[in-house]
Amino acid sequence: MVSKKIVVGNMKMNLTAQEINQYLKEFEKKEISKNVIICPSTIYLPYFVGKKFQVGIQNVAAYEMGAYTGEVAAKQAKSIKVDYAIIGHSERRSYFHESDDIIREKITLALKEKLKVILCIGETEEERDSLKTYKVLKKQLKTALQGLDYKEVFNIVIAYEPVWAIGTGRVPSNLEIHDTIAFIKEIVEELTQHKLPVLYGGSVTDTNIKTLNKIENVDGYLVGGASTKVDKFMKIIEVVVPQ
Ligand code: PEP
């Protein structure tokens, strides 16, 4: 377990500039821990940096800076004081066909720029039903972490996000999450000789967070949909990282 848990809000491609302003106005009225990391759409990042909480970008390019129209380089994110990069989210893997090799490239570039990495891994429903969860997680971890300078791995946080639980309202049992996180921690230590924090993500809400927060080996939560609503997100934060 890390000394203090982490809460990550992945806002995905949601909210207009006006809604973001309103969100921040409400959000900043509260005492917010530095262990909260908000990941808005890339164009809104400048509104979020330099506040009480930390900030993450939802994706970075698999290239250094240059002629890659529409992409954002890790170096550019770092240059506006972004703290974290989410890499390997299941929506990137499925809609944008990101392989484990591309994900490793992105991790390498992010770590080089001293961005901390939130590496997302998780099995699909089909993989779960055919009892391949552990095999899939091991492959995702092995490919993503292989060849990294293991002195840098301290800057990686793993987020276990079963694909079938993302945005569906379906959540594994506490025991299933516990056992899968224990497995991930074991593999990560085997691969890197280091202990890394492991978060759970997938339909975390203000109504199930108290139950989820009882899992003793979870180091925090990655919240998608519920992070776009200040009141819901605040309730989650108050349970996980009370001030
Ligand atoms: C996510 O996008 O990583 C996520 C966990 O989404 P949700 O909380 O909406 O399931």
Side-chain angles (χ1 to χ4, degrees):
M1 284 277 302
V2 288
S3 52
K4 199 162 182 208
K5 292 184 184 177
I6 298 167
V7 178
V8 183
N10 173 17
M11 294 178 147
K12 312 194 188 196
M13 197 173 70
N14 287 306
L15 307 180
T16 62
Q18 291 72 26
E19 287 164 338
I20 286 285
N21 278 328
Q22 192 55 34
Y23 185 105
L24 272 171
K25 222 194 277 174
E26 293 297 312
F27 200 66
E28 288 195 281
K29 283 183 192 155
K30 322 271 179 176
E31 262 316 299
I32 317 275
S33 160
K34 265 280 171 202
N35 282 34
V36 172
I37 302 148
I38 304 197
C39 308
S41 285
T42 306
I43 53 163
Y44 302 139
L45 282 168
Y47 302 171
F48 284 79
V49 291
K51 310 252 184 212
K52 289 179 264 184
F53 45 83
Q54 299 193 76
V55 176
I57 187 166
Q58 295 174 13
N59 175 43
V60 287
Y63 314 98
E64 304 265 6
M65 290 204 290
Y68 298 100
T69 303
E71 291 286 284
V72 176
K75 196 184 186 81
Q76 294 175 306
K78 186 69 190 181
S79 74
I80 63 157
K81 299 194 165 38
V82 165
D83 306 285
Y84 280 84
I86 296 178
I87 298 183
H89 191 280
S90 75
E91 286 149 19
R92 301 290 321 170
R93 292 178 190 258
S94 61
Y95 304 145
F96 303 98
H97 314 292
E98 287 188 8
S99 65
D100 288 319
D101 289 314
I102 289 176
I103 287 161
R104 191 183 59 245
E105 268 313 300
K106 293 185 174 197
I107 295 174
T108 306
L109 289 167
L111 292 177
K112 186 176 159 206
E113 298 303 331
K114 305 274 181 274
L115 279 177
K116 295 191 192 108
V117 168
I118 300 162
L119 166 63
C120 299
I121 58 169
E123 80 286 359
T124 62
E125 181 150 40
E126 198 189 335
E127 288 160 348
R128 179 185 200 235
D129 291 347
S130 51
L131 306 178
K132 290 192 186 131
T133 298
Y134 285 10
K135 191 174 164 199
V136 168
L137 297 176
K138 189 171 181 177
K139 181 180 172 286
Q140 289 174 340
L141 286 168
K142 219 173 153 180
T143 318
L145 300 176
Q146 166 187 308
L148 291 181
D149 175 349
Y150 288 149
K151 285 196 290 298
E152 295 172 358
V153 296
F154 282 118
N155 285 325
I156 301 178
V157 175
I158 312 287
Y160 168 54
E161 300 208 292
V163 178
W164 53 271
I166 296 179
T168 60
R170 293 168 60 203
V171 177
S173 70
N174 276 15
L175 183 62
E176 280 176 286
I177 296 174
H178 174 277
D179 290 354
T180 311
I181 296 238
F183 172 78
I184 292 168
K185 289 190 172 187
E186 197 182 300
I187 297 299
V188 167
E189 198 170 348
E190 204 176 291
L191 284 169
T192 68
Q193 273 76 61
H194 293 298
K195 293 184 199 300
L196 299 184
V198 183
L199 317 180
Y200 168 76
S203 295
V204 175
T205 65
D206 52 325
T207 51
N208 62 19
I209 189 60
K210 280 194 179 139
T211 305
L212 287 167
N213 202 40
K214 291 186 178 137
I215 312 171
E216 47 90 8
N217 64 349
V218 174
D219 297 305
Y221 300 88
L222 201 166
V223 184
S227 72
T228 62
K229 305 269 189 304
V230 178
D231 54 337
K232 289 182 195 288
F233 195 39
M234 274 315 304
K235 282 185 191 152
I236 295 170
I237 291 169
E238 277 159 17
V239 171
V240 184
V241 281
Q243 282 296 92

